[in-house]
Amino acid sequence: MDSGDLPALDLRHIWKVFGPGDGSRAIELAKTGVSRNEILQQTAQTVAVRDVSFSVARGETFVVMGLSGSGKSTLIRCLSRLIEPTQGEVFLDGDNLLAMDEEQLRQVRRGRMSMVFQHFGLFPHRKVIENIAYGLEVQKIDKQTRIAKATEILKTVGLDGWANHYPQQLSGGMQQRVGLARALAVDPQILLFDEPFSALDPLIRKEMQDELIRLQKTMQRTVVFITHDFAEALRLGDRIAIMKDGSFDQVGTPEEIVSSPATPYVREFVNDVPRAKVLSVKTVTVAGTAASNSRTVLSTAKIETIIPMLLEGDEAITVTDASNKAIGIVNRQSVAKILQAEQK
């Protein structure tokens, strides 16, 4: 199979057990449905990640959302082999990450995969430009080339003019931009984010989310993003996995999860979500034909964008697909149903 047909990342049946022994007894118990707490009592072992499988396509942003203790940070560390999985397989463009020796793994981390953490991990004694260029320095790229590359990335993340400052002279949001720039400088295929914005003030956090969305539109990296914030997951994710007690409760697009929560646990998060901001016009499209001179809207537009149009006039609006073909109509009644459901 051509590597272009493979997912960028492919995780198969990942387990991580902490505690004495090889974890096999804990896994056996977990497979029979024994709870985490019971396994801990019987074996003194904690099942942190429980038979997790997923793949991520090239250029996709895959968000793993879960509360504290759900296993999400352990999962991303298993993915990068910062923690060794107890069982399972991890493939990076078809290459078995778990079969790699230390040198091969080092090469992956230097060029193919980068991580951005909640704590920025910048070198305080190095200037911003030197922090960004560090990964290239490790690759033994000459100074002129790496400074030129770092300068280019600095502009990309909106920090032009800050090259010769030290990290402690920057705000938290700016320091996180430096961390992001450092990760991007080595031109990685995969970007792993472990709650990178959770320590930031709400306004700065939104700015960083906007920045990542903007970068994804132009750079199209493959991203795995860990968060405990459901609103952040909805903003950033092409697909979202909701994690609880070491396993996935549901995986789907933001729209699929909000419109059809699979479990009571997922429904708890969805209940507070303004549906008009997440769901597309396609979900409220009904059969019918509007007047020949009717207004039109793309099926992929968010419902909130058409509410002003419906308030302006009572006439049905024609809904079109990406090829400008009419697929139905949307009217006040169809939108009202979804908004009324939100109030229940």
Side-chain angles (χ1 to χ4, degrees):
M1 184 184 290
D2 186 272
S3 62
D5 298 326
L6 295 169
L9 272 174
D10 190 13
L11 276 72
R12 303 175 187 174
H13 304 292
I14 295 296
W15 291 81
K16 180 59 190 177
V17 178
F18 292 106
D22 62 5
S24 58
R25 173 67 178 147
I27 291 173
E28 284 176 21
L29 290 170
K31 286 180 177 178
T32 64
V34 178
S35 72
R36 253 184 175 183
N37 286 338
E38 290 174 302
I39 292 171
L40 180 61
Q41 290 171 3
Q42 291 185 40
T43 67
Q45 296 173 337
T46 300
V47 180
V49 177
R50 186 176 184 137
D51 196 21
V52 169
S53 298
F54 68 93
S55 60
V56 186
R58 284 172 181 74
E60 181 182 18
T61 299
F62 186 88
V63 176
V64 180
M65 182 268 162
L67 301 181
S68 179
S70 62
K72 58 191 185 300
S73 290
T74 300
L75 176 64
I76 202 170
R77 282 165 169 74
C78 286
L79 191 164
S80 59
R81 274 189 69 187
L82 290 176
I83 294 175
E84 294 290 340
T86 306
Q87 282 186 18
E89 297 176 298
V90 179
F91 291 93
L92 173 62
D93 276 328
D95 297 331
N96 188 348
L97 207 67
L98 301 185
M100 292 181 182
D101 60 28
E102 285 299 318
E103 179 56 31
Q104 290 171 317
L105 191 57
R106 196 174 296 117
Q107 292 305 317
V108 165
R109 290 174 178 159
R110 284 177 177 176
R112 296 172 67 183
M113 179 187 289
S114 288
M115 285 197 73
V116 181
F117 296 95
Q118 176 181 339
H119 303 291
F120 319 123
L122 303 179
F123 298 116
H125 62 288
R126 287 181 176 236
K127 294 177 180 178
V128 165
I129 196 72
E130 295 166 339
N131 267 280
I132 294 171
Y134 178 73
L136 301 172
E137 182 182 339
V138 169
Q139 292 180 11
K140 303 193 184 312
I141 291 172
D142 68 90
K143 185 173 183 179
Q144 184 177 351
T145 302
R146 66 179 186 254
I147 294 300
K149 177 67 174 177
T151 301
E152 176 190 334
I153 295 292
L154 193 69
K155 294 176 183 175
T156 301
V157 299
L159 285 178
D160 196 17
W162 292 89
N164 293 313
H165 288 72
Y166 288 92
Q168 57 268 32
Q169 296 174 298
L170 277 59
S171 69
M174 293 168 76
Q175 288 184 44
Q176 193 58 288
R177 286 174 188 263
V178 176
L180 177 57
R182 181 175 60 186
L184 290 171
V186 296
D187 198 25
Q189 299 163 269
I190 312 289
L191 275 168
L192 307 178
F193 291 87
D194 189 8
E195 302 210 53
F197 309 147
S198 61
L200 303 176
D201 293 336
L203 285 177
I204 299 172
R205 183 172 187 160
K206 184 178 182 302
E207 283 179 13
M208 288 303 300
Q209 292 168 0
D210 291 340
E211 183 70 16
L212 182 57
I213 291 167
R214 183 186 67 80
L215 286 170
Q216 269 299 79
K217 285 180 179 176
T218 57
M219 304 183 84
Q220 286 291 292
R221 305 297 184 193
T222 301
V223 171
V224 178
F225 192 102
I226 303 296
T227 183
H228 65 265
D229 185 329
F230 190 53
E232 183 168 70
L234 292 174
R235 284 202 78 205
L236 299 179
D238 295 314
R239 284 188 301 143
I240 300 168
I242 308 292
M243 196 168 189
K244 180 189 178 190
D245 293 337
S247 61
F248 286 172
D249 256 32
Q250 185 173 359
V251 180
T253 65
E255 193 160 331
E256 288 167 347
I257 287 174
V258 170
S259 61
S260 303
T263 67
Y265 180 73
V266 176
R267 195 170 294 113
E268 285 179 27
F269 294 107
V270 168
N271 282 342
D272 295 328
V273 173
R275 294 186 172 198
K277 289 181 177 292
V278 178
L279 301 182
S280 68
V281 170
K282 185 177 181 180
T283 62
V284 289
T285 299
V286 295
T289 305
S292 58
N293 61 344
S294 72
R295 298 162 295 175
T296 63
V297 64
L298 273 173
S299 62
T300 53
K302 299 302 180 193
I303 292 172
E304 69 174 351
T305 64
I306 64 165
I307 290 175
M309 297 170 67
L310 292 169
L311 292 174
E312 285 172 8
D314 208 10
E315 307 85 11
I317 300 168
T318 299
V319 180
T320 61
D321 61 17
S323 61
N324 208 33
K325 178 185 176 184
I327 61 171
I329 61 169
V330 64
N331 53 32
R332 287 183 180 179
Q333 290 74 25
S334 62
V335 172
K337 281 183 182 179
I338 202 82
L339 296 182
Q340 286 165 0
E342 188 174 303
Q343 301 303 317
K344 292 180 181 179

